[in-house]
Amino acid sequence: MEQKELLIQRVTDFSGIEQFECGITQMDNFLHEHLEDCSKSHYCTTYFVRFEQDGDIVALFSLSNDSVDIDSDDFEDMRIGASGTDLPLVDELFREQFEQKYTYPALEITYLAVSKKYQSMKIGSAIIDIIANMAREQKLSGCVFLTVKALVTKEYSALSFYEKNQFARLTSTPQFDVWPMYRTLWPCE
C-alpha cells in the first residue's frame, strides 16, 4: 500500500479519542482517562494524525520540553558507533567545550500511539521523522536531542521500535515500566 500524506493537527477538542485504540491496554486506558488532563495542564501538547481532515485518528502523539544528561562515555559511544544514535553536528572548534556540558536541550515524545487499524504500516517511524523535523524547524529554543521513555512491560515493549528509529538507551536498566532513550537531531554527516 502506498503511504498517504499524514495530516498533523494540534488537539484542542479531545472528542473522538474514545474510539481510538492502539491495542496496548495500559496505554489505551491512559489515553482515554488522562491525556486530555495532561494536555490541558500544560504537561504536554497533543497532536492527532489523520490521512484526511475529518477522517479517523490514525495515530496520536504528545510532546514536552526536556533535557538529557550525557557524559563523555556517551559521546565516546556515539563516536565509535556503539550507542545507536549519531554524534551531534557541532563545529569541531567548539566540540570539546560542547561535550563538557552537563545537560542538553531536548524535545520529549511524551506519548506516541498508532491505531490498531494502521499498525505495521511504518506510520510510527514516519511520525518520529515528522517530530524530528518539527524540533529542527522551531525557532523558540535550542534543541539537540529527541527523548522518549519507551514503554517496557511484561505484555509489551517499545524498545526495539525506538532502537530501529535511531534512539539509544540512556540508562543501563529500565526505570519502572519505561526505558529512557535519546536520538540526535543534528547528526554529523
Side-chain angles (χ1 to χ4, degrees):
M1 177 177 161
E2 184 179 320
Q3 180 74 44
K4 297 178 184 179
E5 184 173 339
L6 299 173
L7 299 174
I8 310 299
Q9 302 168 315
R10 184 173 177 184
V11 179
T12 55
D13 177 4
F14 281 80
S15 62
I17 197 171
E18 57 278 347
Q19 283 85 35
F20 180 89
E21 288 188 16
C22 68
I24 303 161
T25 304
Q26 181 179 353
M27 180 71 92
D28 285 333
N29 289 343
F30 173 82
L31 297 174
H32 296 147
E33 296 170 15
H34 302 291
L35 182 59
E36 182 175 6
D37 292 330
C38 285
S39 289
K40 288 182 176 179
S41 299
H42 310 288
Y43 177 76
C44 60
T45 299
T46 300
Y47 299 84
F48 287 159
V49 180
R50 305 174 193 266
F51 286 131
E52 50 196 53
Q53 190 65 33
D54 294 315
D56 289 345
I57 300 170
V58 171
L60 60 82
F61 63 92
S62 298
L63 303 174
S64 301
N65 291 320
D66 198 7
S67 64
V68 62
D69 298 335
I70 296 177
D71 62 24
S72 59
D73 291 338
D74 296 316
F75 281 112
E76 186 57 30
D77 286 348
M78 286 183 235
R79 218 177 316 289
I80 64 173
S83 73
T85 195
D86 298 306
L87 193 64
L89 179 63
V90 174
D91 185 313
E92 288 307 313
L93 296 174
F94 178 61
R95 180 159 303 281
E96 183 178 344
Q97 186 177 3
F98 176 82
E99 291 183 11
Q100 292 175 0
K101 296 188 175 299
Y102 296 108
T103 61
Y104 299 84
L107 179 66
E108 180 181 8
I109 301 172
T110 319
Y111 309 104
L112 170 60
V114 177
S115 169
K116 287 192 305 188
K117 295 191 290 188
Y118 298 99
Q119 291 178 4
S120 300
M121 296 173 61
K122 301 197 182 299
I123 291 171
S125 295
I127 291 169
I128 288 174
D129 289 340
I130 289 167
I131 293 168
N133 286 332
M134 290 168 68
R136 286 184 203 105
E137 292 171 3
Q138 62 86 27
K139 304 292 184 220
L140 185 61
S141 63
C143 193
V144 180
F145 296 100
L146 286 182
T147 60
V148 68
K149 292 177 180 73
L151 185 62
V152 178
T153 66
K154 291 178 193 171
E155 298 80 30
Y156 175 81
S157 175
L159 198 59
S160 66
F161 166 76
Y162 285 107
E163 287 176 334
K164 288 177 191 170
N165 284 283
Q166 301 174 316
F167 281 81
R169 298 175 194 197
L170 191 55
T171 60
S172 58
T173 58
Q175 298 175 348
F176 302 101
D177 60 353
V178 296
W179 207 310
M181 302 180 81
Y182 68 103
R183 171 183 163 174
T184 302
L185 280 172
W186 307 94
C188 286
E189 302 283 319

